[in-house]
Amino acid sequence: MTEAFSLSLIFAYITIAYYYLIFSLSVKRSRGGKMEHVVKSIISIIGSFTSYLLGGWSLLLTTLLLLNVFDYLTGMAANWGEISSKQGLKGIIKKCVMWVWIVVANLLYLVLAKEGFDLSQVIPDGVVILFIINEITSLGENSIKLGINVPEPIKKALLIMKGDKK
């Protein structure tokens, strides 16, 4: 997707959300009221801006998001009784920084594309794939802590990824 096309798409989303907001504020509704429409408009503006920063939504991002949730939940379960709200917040912040790196990779791709380097989304997709591998590794480690019988090849792969070359 070219930068001009993606910019026009984001402006289209914002324009539609803006007019929806204006229209919804001018029309009285018997149920839900104006606040519901304001919230929906704000969510749509934030969603369109986020979509632009991430370079659109893809199966890779869906996979990463699901793995983020699974990893967080299994991490909490694996460390039950030892975990504090401070550790939980730190985990959420780490996940957010992971997504910031995806935004940075996409912005780098846009800059390079504008300068004539057509890399076909290689940089953002590569970053997402690396984070997916990281999440799978963490999910495997949490599964082992929980006492789940993980197949031996996966255990060996986890040891190699941690740097233990047994």
Side-chain angles (χ1 to χ4, degrees):
M1 185 180 323
T2 66
E3 182 183 2
F5 177 73
S6 60
L7 279 176
S8 63
L9 192 60
I10 189 90
F11 288 129
Y13 283 140
I14 290 172
T15 304
I16 290 169
Y18 172 75
Y19 283 114
Y20 178 75
L21 176 64
I22 297 300
F23 175 75
S24 65
L25 289 176
S26 65
V27 176
K28 286 195 173 194
R29 306 223 182 220
S30 60
R31 295 179 68 203
K34 294 179 185 178
M35 193 62 186
E36 174 186 354
H37 297 290
V38 170
V39 170
K40 286 180 182 178
S41 297
I42 290 171
I43 289 171
S44 67
I45 290 170
I46 291 170
S48 62
F49 187 67
T50 303
S51 177
Y52 171 73
L53 289 176
L54 291 172
W57 198 258
S58 67
L59 181 59
L60 284 173
L61 293 176
T62 302
T63 303
L64 181 61
L65 181 64
L66 287 173
L67 286 171
N68 281 159
V69 171
F70 295 155
D71 178 48
Y72 188 78
L73 294 175
T74 58
M76 286 178 53
N79 296 300
W80 195 257
E82 304 168 16
I83 198 159
S84 67
S85 58
K86 188 176 180 180
Q87 287 175 316
L89 181 61
K90 184 179 177 184
I92 291 172
I93 290 171
K94 286 171 68 176
K95 302 292 182 202
C96 290
V97 171
M98 182 184 301
W99 285 88
V100 167
W101 275 107
I102 295 168
V103 169
V104 168
N106 185 58
L107 293 175
L108 178 63
Y109 160 73
L110 291 174
V111 168
L112 291 174
K114 184 174 182 179
E115 295 300 319
F117 298 102
D118 186 18
L119 299 173
S120 308
Q121 260 323 86
V122 170
I123 295 171
D125 288 350
V127 170
V128 173
I129 289 169
L130 288 173
F131 282 130
I132 286 173
I133 291 168
N134 184 51
E135 290 296 294
I136 290 171
T137 303
S138 181
L139 191 62
E141 291 169 353
N142 291 339
S143 298
I144 291 171
K145 279 185 185 177
L146 285 169
I148 296 172
N149 189 14
V150 177
E152 197 59 37
I154 294 176
K155 285 182 185 177
K156 285 181 182 178
L158 290 172
L159 288 173
I160 290 171
M161 286 184 211
K162 285 172 59 174
D164 193 11
K165 298 185 178 172
K166 289 182 182 178

